[in-house]
Amino acid sequence: MTDRYAVFGNPISHSKSPFIHAAFARQTGQDLTYEAILAPLDRFADSLESFRQQDGKGANVTVPFKENAYRIAGQLTDRAEKAGAVNTLTFANGQISGDNTDGAGLVNDIRSNLNFSIVGKRVLLMGAGGAARGVILPLLAETPANLTIANRTPGKADDLRKHFSRIETGSYQSLAGRQFDLIINATSSGLSDELPPLPDDIFAEGALAYDMMYGRETPFMMLARQHDAQVSDGLGMLVEQAAEAFFVWRGIRPLTAPVIAQIRR
Ligand code: NDP
C-alpha cells in the first residue's frame, strides 16, 4: 500500500517539499505520496490528527507550527529537544515522534555540497529565532573554534545560553574588530531587503557567507560578495533537511545534488 506523507504550514502553496520528496521517492523506488496541507492557524493539532487517522505515516512541519509540533510529539530526539522545535513527525505504533532535521540539513549542505569544513573555524550565527536555535547543536558537533550568536534583540540571543554551553552571545555592535570564517544569516531580514548591522571587516579571508533564505539575492549576500566571501543561499539546506527527514522515515538516504540542480534550473 502507498504510504502517505505531508507538509503542514500556513501559508503552504509556495512549498517545494512535495516536489523534493516526489523526486526522492522516484530516485529510491519508494512507494509513497507527499502532499502540502494548509492548516488553519488555530487548528494545526486537529488538522494533523485527521491526517494521522487517515493513515498518514509522517509529516513535515513548517512556519508557523514547528513549536506546536514540538508540544504535540510524545517522544523527541535530542536535537529536537534542544532546538525547541520539530519539523519532522513520524507516526508509528500509535505514537507521535518528533525530530528536527534543519540543523543536519544546514551542516550537510555546508560540508558536502559546498566542501567547507567547519572544524576549527570561527563561526558567527545571526538571529535567535527558531531557525537559529535549530542549528546550534549540529554546528557545535562540528567542533568549530567558537560559535558566536548575534541578534537584533540581544536578550533573545543571551537566553540561548540557558540551553547551550560553548556559545557566546551579544549584539551586532559587540562584534566590532572581530572576524569570522563562516557567517550564517538565520534572520528573516532578507524578506524585507534589510541587512543586520554587521561591522564592515567581519569577513575573514576565505570566509563562507551562508544565507538560509533562498530564491532571492539578499543584502547580506551582496555585502559578502563585495568582501570577496564565498556565498550561498539556503536552497541546499532545504533539500538536505528533506533528505534527512526522508532517511528518518524510510531508512534510505537519497542523492541530493540532482534535486538541488533541478530546482535551481
Ligand atoms: P523567526 O521569526 O523565528 O526569527 C527571525 C529572526 O530574524 C529573529 O532573530 C529576528 O530578530 C531576526 N530579524 C528579523 N528581521 C531583522 C532585521 N531587519 N534585522 C536583523 N534581524 C532581524 O524566523 P525563523 O528563525 O523561523 O526563520 C529565519 C529565516 O530562516 C527565514 O528567512 C526562513 O525562511 C529561513 N529558514 C530557512 C530554512 C531552509 O531550509 N533554508 C529552514 C528554516 C528557516 P529579533 O529577535 O530582534 O526580532
Side-chain angles (χ1 to χ4, degrees):
M1 210 172 87
T2 304
D3 289 338
R4 279 185 83 195
Y5 296 88
V7 57
F8 288 78
N10 188 329
I12 200 63
S13 59
H14 66 287
S15 175
K16 294 187 177 15
S17 295
F19 175 87
I20 295 170
H21 281 277
F24 288 165
R26 270 195 308 277
Q27 186 200 109
T28 57
Q30 293 285 300
D31 186 14
L32 61 87
T33 61
Y34 187 108
E35 61 209 272
I37 296 178
L38 178 73
L41 288 173
D42 56 350
R43 300 261 315 281
F44 168 69
D46 294 344
S47 185
L48 187 75
E49 187 54 23
S50 142
F51 177 72
R52 192 166 80 100
Q53 294 302 332
Q54 289 164 45
D55 235 13
K57 293 282 184 278
N60 283 133
V61 181
T62 187
V63 178
F65 299 126
K66 289 184 187 182
E67 286 174 17
N68 303 55
Y70 173 86
R71 287 191 292 272
I72 286 169
Q75 296 162 0
L76 291 167
T77 58
D78 191 31
R79 58 192 181 179
E81 176 72 60
K82 282 282 195 189
V86 158
N87 78 334
T88 303
L89 291 165
T90 306
F91 312 134
N93 310 320
Q95 302 261 34
I96 302 180
S97 313
D99 200 349
N100 189 312
T101 65
D102 281 337
L106 173 76
V107 167
N108 286 345
D109 190 36
I110 291 175
R111 210 177 37 198
S112 307
N113 300 327
L114 302 172
N115 292 319
F116 187 94
S117 168
I118 301 170
V119 180
K121 298 285 167 51
R122 297 162 290 179
V123 180
L124 171 62
L125 179 63
M126 299 192 284
R133 187 166 163 178
V135 301
I136 295 172
L137 195 66
L139 281 172
L140 287 172
E142 294 297 296
T143 63
N146 49 55
L147 175 58
T148 303
I149 302 172
N151 195 43
R152 180 174 63 180
T153 312
K156 268 173 73 181
D158 294 341
D159 280 349
L160 293 171
R161 290 211 303 266
K162 292 181 199 146
H163 304 278
F164 301 92
S165 51
R166 296 188 291 135
I167 60 171
E168 299 166 42
T169 59
S171 64
Y172 290 104
Q173 289 70 28
S174 69
L175 301 172
R178 297 184 62 186
Q179 290 204 311
F180 294 90
D181 306 296
L182 171 60
I183 303 181
I184 300 164
N185 186 9
T187 77
S188 46
S189 59
L191 272 179
S192 46
D193 273 331
E194 289 176 332
L195 178 69
L198 281 173
D200 236 20
D201 53 356
I202 199 94
F203 300 94
E205 205 183 323
L208 170 63
Y210 193 102
D211 202 313
M212 286 194 191
M213 281 204 67
Y214 50 86
R216 66 202 288 168
E217 177 86 357
T218 65
F220 168 65
M221 292 164 76
M222 290 178 213
L223 178 79
R225 282 189 214 287
Q226 284 161 17
H227 288 84
D228 297 323
Q230 182 189 344
V231 175
S232 177
D233 68 5
L235 180 63
M237 172 178 175
L238 177 76
V239 176
E240 292 292 345
Q241 64 77 24
E244 186 76 12
F246 194 88
F247 179 72
V248 167
W249 292 328
R250 313 299 296 185
I252 296 176
R253 221 168 256 290
L255 294 176
T256 51
V259 181
I260 295 172
Q262 214 176 340
I263 297 176
R264 286 216 190 278
R265 275 202 300 276

